[in-house]
Structures are given as C-alpha cells and as structure tokens.
Amino acid sequence: MYILSTEVVADSLQTLRSLGAHRNLTMYLCVKRFATIQHSNENLKIHFREFFDRYLTVRNAPADKPYIIPFESSSTRIWLNNNLAGSFAPSSIRPDNPVNTVIGVNGVGSKATYSLKEKHWQTAKKNLLNGKKIPVFALASFLYRDFGFLAVDMNPPKLIYIFQSEFGYLEEGGPSKEFEELYDSEINYLTGTVFGEHHDL
C-alpha cells in the first residue's frame, strides 16, 4: 500500500494557502463532489459533515475545531468548528459572498437544496480564485493525505485521476473542459519521494 509523504502533504498545504483563494472554495468543492455523486447539478442534498470527515478532518487538531480550510492563509481562521450545519446554512452565507455566484440555494435549514450555476467553473475561477487556476496535484495530495493506495506503482498522474473521478472531471477521452479551465496539472516541479510504501503490521 502506498501513502503520500508528509513532506509532499506539507508543501501542498502551503501551496493551497498561498493561492489567495476565497475560503468558500471549499464549499464549492463540496457541492461539486455531491453533484458528481447525485449525477446532477441541481436540487442537490449536501452532506457537509460527510465531506469534511472524509477530506478535511485533521488528527491532533484543536478539540473544538477538528476541520481545516486549506485555502485559508490566516493562521487564526484556518480551523473550522464542528458546527458545520451552522457554518454552511443558507442563513450564514452573506448576500455579498462570492460563493453565491457559483452556487444557488433553495429552502432553509435541513430542507435546503443546492445547485451549481451555469458555467460555475468559470465563475469560480473569476470570483473565488481571482483568475488563477487550482494546482491540482497540491489539492489532490492534501485531500487524500490520509488515504492508502493499492495501485501498482502509485504516481502523481494516478492520484490526479482519482481526484478527477471523485469530483466529476472526467469524460470520454480524458479530462473535462471544466477541469482544463479550472485546474493547473503541472507536476514537473515535483522532486524527491512523493509516495512511500506502507506495510500493515
């Protein structure tokens, strides 16, 4: 079984934090993940805790703030408390929050449904990323930092493929247009050991 090296994960987090992205890019990725699961961009039921438990829980985090926002540059705001329902409730999203330009919300409370707006990836790049692309290897290596991989000869392209599959960025023939416009796939900067073998006792 292969796991990502701690050095790669640390570098990836630093890369994401220095991107200058809006912290609610995390919310956008959450909705995109559930759009993939539910095979639709409209009337989505979003399970924020499921997403955060899978990708953004950090061991040894503050007891009252178990989650991390990887795009947050401020050390005082990088941790997120356990009240995800409150943090991402429709009533908690201010009207001027740029995430409203990519995500639509109908209803309130537990009955709320979410939708991805038309050409959401272009708007996300403009309003959540200041026109920049997301370095996909950095994002994938951070999201899957605690995962073990059984693939033979695990490598960065295989990790990116896993991310593309889970977040709906594949179409027949390869990566989707969304992916190409929103993500930077450069991996030539990688040096040293990216994956190490882990043997269960």
Side-chain angles (χ1 to χ4, degrees):
M1 181 171 68
Y2 291 90
I3 58 174
L4 284 151
S5 74
T6 55
E7 293 81 5
V8 165
V9 174
D11 288 346
S12 295
L13 177 59
Q14 184 58 39
T15 297
L16 297 176
R17 294 186 67 189
S18 64
L19 191 58
H22 194 280
R23 62 185 281 115
N24 275 342
L25 182 59
T26 307
M27 181 181 181
Y28 169 65
L29 289 172
C30 178
V31 175
K32 184 69 173 75
R33 168 67 175 151
F34 281 98
T36 304
I37 293 172
Q38 297 172 31
H39 304 288
S40 176
N41 283 345
E42 299 180 349
N43 299 317
L44 303 168
K45 292 298 294 183
I46 306 301
H47 306 285
F48 289 103
R49 188 168 304 281
E50 179 181 327
F51 179 87
F52 275 77
D53 284 349
R54 179 174 174 81
Y55 299 110
L56 298 174
T57 302
V58 177
R59 292 192 297 267
N60 301 318
D64 59 337
K65 295 181 178 181
Y67 303 113
I68 192 169
I69 302 295
F71 305 107
E72 178 56 66
S73 59
S74 170
S75 297
T76 60
R77 300 185 67 222
I78 193 170
W79 302 107
L80 185 65
N81 65 43
N82 203 38
N83 183 23
L84 296 178
S87 297
F88 295 104
S91 59
S92 298
I93 307 299
R94 296 169 59 102
D96 60 349
N97 192 311
V99 78
N100 289 322
T101 65
V102 294
I103 296 172
V105 184
N106 291 310
V108 297
S110 61
K111 295 183 179 180
T113 60
Y114 297 74
S115 299
L116 290 170
K117 295 186 176 182
E118 185 176 0
K119 295 185 178 180
H120 52 87
W121 64 96
Q122 295 178 352
T123 312
K125 181 180 177 182
K126 177 182 177 181
N127 294 342
L128 299 180
L129 287 152
N130 297 312
K132 300 177 183 177
K133 288 187 174 184
I134 303 170
V136 67
F137 178 77
L139 178 58
S141 61
F142 184 76
L143 294 180
Y144 299 109
R145 66 199 176 281
D146 292 327
F147 286 57
F149 305 96
L150 299 177
V152 176
D153 297 326
M154 188 65 186
N155 56 42
K158 289 180 180 178
L159 182 67
I160 292 172
Y161 181 86
I162 291 171
F163 170 78
Q164 291 170 327
S165 178
E166 288 205 345
F167 284 80
Y169 291 117
L170 291 173
E171 56 188 21
E172 187 174 353
S176 66
K177 179 181 178 181
E178 287 184 39
F179 180 84
E180 298 289 358
E181 292 190 15
L182 188 58
Y183 294 91
D184 179 357
S185 298
E186 178 62 55
I187 58 173
N188 290 335
Y189 67 90
L190 295 172
T191 59
T193 301
V194 177
F195 294 92
E197 289 193 66
H198 177 76
H199 302 283
D200 292 330
L201 298 177

